[in-house]
Amino acid sequence: MSELNLEMVKEDPNPARKKHNARVEIDGALCKECLLCIEACAPDVLKVSETLNKMGYHPVEYIGDGCTGCGVCFYVCPEPGTIKVYKKIKAA
Amino acid sequence: MVKDILEKPESFYEIFERKSGSNKLTTHYCPGCGHGVIHKLIAEAMDEFGIGDRAVMISPVGCSVFAYYYFDCGNVQAPHGRAPAVATGIKRAIPDSIVISYQGDGDLAGIGGNEILHAANRGENITVFFVNNAIYGMTGSQMAPTTLIGQKTTTTPYGRSARNEGYPIKVCELLSSLEAPVYLERVAITDAKNVMKVRKAIRKGLQNQIEGKGFSLIEILSPCPTGWGMKPVDAKNWVDEVLMKTFQLGVFKDKTAEAAPEIIEQKEFTSDEILKILGASKNGSDFLYDKPEVKINYQNPRIKISGFGGQGILFLGQLLSQSAMRSGYYTTWLPSYGPEVRGGTANCHIIISNNRIGSPLGAETDVLIAMNLPSLDKFENDVRKDGLILVNSSLISRNVKRNDVEVLYVPATELADEVGNTKVANLVMLGAYTAKSKIFSHDCVLFTANETVKKKEFLKVNEEAFRKGMEYVLNNKHKKIKNTIL
Ligand SMILES: Cc1ncc(C[n+]2csc(CCOP(=O)(O)OP(=O)(O)O)c2C)c(N)n1
Ligand code: SF4
Ligand code: SF4
Ligand code: SF4
């Protein structure tokens, strides 16, 4: 499990103590609302948006805070280019 | 290599141009389909091994038939179940390629059951990704060989019963009894932990091939929410809670550590060696005979030759096509055998044309060469109006029923007997057809026949038979030829 640190997902997502710039970007136009990412995200920082995309799905979006950069959502998402995860890089 | 950003692997096309419709950034797969996750893991591994330029994916028949929309690598789409055979051919022809056979369970364990068995048994140095979703996804949820006992599908509406449909086939267990496979593992697309195991197994399967170690197959239990009639998250849980009970995860064979890298010797052949192996000669490969003037009605013929196996039907077709090539025509030769090779019926289609040929199978026949009665019975009505029928009147004791076609009755077998060998009736017919249509020069046909016939002791009798057929037609030119046998 070289690239995926499951320990990270247990980390306290409290942004006040955050010392890294991990985040997730989701291209809502390419999301098929399968919800696998939401299910898999331990800190629970993803949610379904209320808008509809062109394919007729409610895309998932990042609540904007608390992503640990664990990468789980990237690997469980069946779409090639929907999720981009910036992993934990220590803030300089 | 640890990446800071996880994003669409480069081994995917940036834009899926080959995909139809306007949405060229998402896959054609249903929401939550395991194929998408598996694709991503393969593409990521291809990136990291840097094998995009030499990877060839064989896509199957099934939902993943369109894998070539997505992967920026070589691709051949194989007929249903045949991916391991195609993979074998490519790997052997281009040993440096990294060949990936990507197959569903209907494809691999159903219609392709014997292909995978033998590819595994030969220990082909290929990597097989076997996507087991326990159903035929693409065709609308029919039972697959891997469907669970009790599982409802459109073809097992009361659930699969072992008595009716047998038991789910466990491919890894089955193949693990073979000597040759190097690595067999079953993994599953469920939670992150399992997905990471899939990722690792995919890499190992590819790594083995890169190192020349031999046959690897990774069976991946994969959700098919649509086929199972479940929401994606429920489908994922069903893999975990139900599918995995029958298909236990684990490594079924792993000889990776001791497998010695296979040294593939590729022999380079010179063109002279190839000619020798094929028994061909270079003589005259650089010249063409002139095309004679051909009457409109005889131009661009779609020819059907039919008769008993053993009458040299296919060979006659070859001679026509070869003569056509040597006269600068486009041509195709399509043999069709009966279920038995000897003693049955044989026929072939030949197209000779001034234009490029779209399909080797003509919708209509312009020329029928009927060497026996069943052939005339069967194909007489396929000949177009004003077409030509050559009848071997030695063996066919009736007239052609049609009166809107031109008929030439040639006692081919008797004329062949006159030159001492009834087997050359086909060459008599070749002579007759050449004289009638004037589609090639006589010299051209004789040259081709001499080149093609392997046993040189037949050259003389062939030539005599050919001339007999020609003369028969030329001498009877002004007579209305009537069948005398009746
Ligand atoms: C020779 C032939 N027989 C049958 C079919 C119809 N057919 C298309 S896909 C398919 C089953 C595919 O199932 P599977 O391999 O499990 O792949 P999935 O679609 O589930 O990924 C069948 C039977 C075909 N295309 N060709
Ligand atoms: S990388 Fe994805 S799964 Fe992990 S915390 Fe961030 S949003 Fe959640
Ligand atoms: S896993 Fe991917 S496609 Fe599914 S809901 Fe999340 S972002 Fe959308
Ligand atoms: S039918 Fe099943 S296997 Fe096919 S794309 Fe849909 S979910 Fe995937």
Side-chain angles (χ1 to χ4, degrees), chain B residues 28 38 183 316 329 421 447 450 459:
Chain B
H28 69 291
I38 298 165
Y183 172 49
L316 173 54
Y329 291 106
N421 190 342
F447 180 89
N450 287 350
L459 289 183

Side-chain angles (χ1 to χ4, degrees), chain A residues 66-81:
Chain A
C67 170
T68 64
C70 71
V72 163
C73 55
F74 172 81
Y75 283 110
V76 300
C77 174
E79 284 301 318

Side-chain angles (χ1 to χ4, degrees), chain B residues 167 297 329 458:
Chain B
Y167 292 89
N297 194 38
Y329 291 106
F458 287 123

Side-chain angles (χ1 to χ4, degrees), chain B residues 182-183 204 208 211 213 216 253-260:
Chain B
V182 165
Y183 172 49
K204 181 159 170 171
N208 282 348
E211 290 173 7
K213 290 194 166 163
S216 301
K253 187 156 198 163
D254 190 356
K255 298 195 296 185
T256 308
E258 65 265 28

Side-chain angles (χ1 to χ4, degrees), chain A residues 1-4 6 27 29-36 39-40 55 57 69-89, chain B residues 1-9 12 16 23 25-33 36-37 40-41 44 48 190-193 195-196 199 203 232-233 236-237:
Chain A
M1 226 174 285
S2 58
E3 289 194 18
L4 193 79
L6 287 176
D27 186 340
L30 312 183
C31 169
K32 291 183 180 167
E33 200 185 342
C34 70
L35 311 182
L36 290 169
E39 227 252 355
M55 296 186 285
Y57 298 115
C70 71
V72 163
C73 55
F74 172 81
Y75 283 110
V76 300
C77 174
E79 284 301 318
T82 309
I83 296 189
K84 191 166 175 176
V85 175
Y86 294 82
K87 298 209 296 189
K88 186 170 168 175
I89 309 163
Chain B
M1 185 175 51
V2 178
K3 288 177 297 186
D4 291 335
I5 301 174
L6 295 173
E7 60 186 329
K8 185 175 177 181
F12 282 129
F16 306 137
N23 185 345
L25 292 170
T26 63
T27 66
H28 69 291
Y29 296 115
C30 308
C33 174
V37 178
K40 189 185 276 179
L41 297 173
E44 192 193 42
E48 279 177 34
T190 60
D191 57 10
K193 210 166 151 193
V195 170
M196 286 300 113
R199 181 170 178 268
R203 284 161 185 245
V233 172
K236 183 211 73 171
N237 292 336

Side-chain angles (χ1 to χ4, degrees), chain B residues 383-402:
Chain B
V383 178
R384 72 159 161 85
K385 187 173 172 300
D386 298 323
L388 173 66
I389 303 184
L390 285 96
V391 174
N392 177 9
S393 58
S394 306
L395 300 186
I396 300 177
S397 54
R398 72 164 173 88
N399 276 329
V400 169
K401 292 177 189 151
R402 305 255 309 260

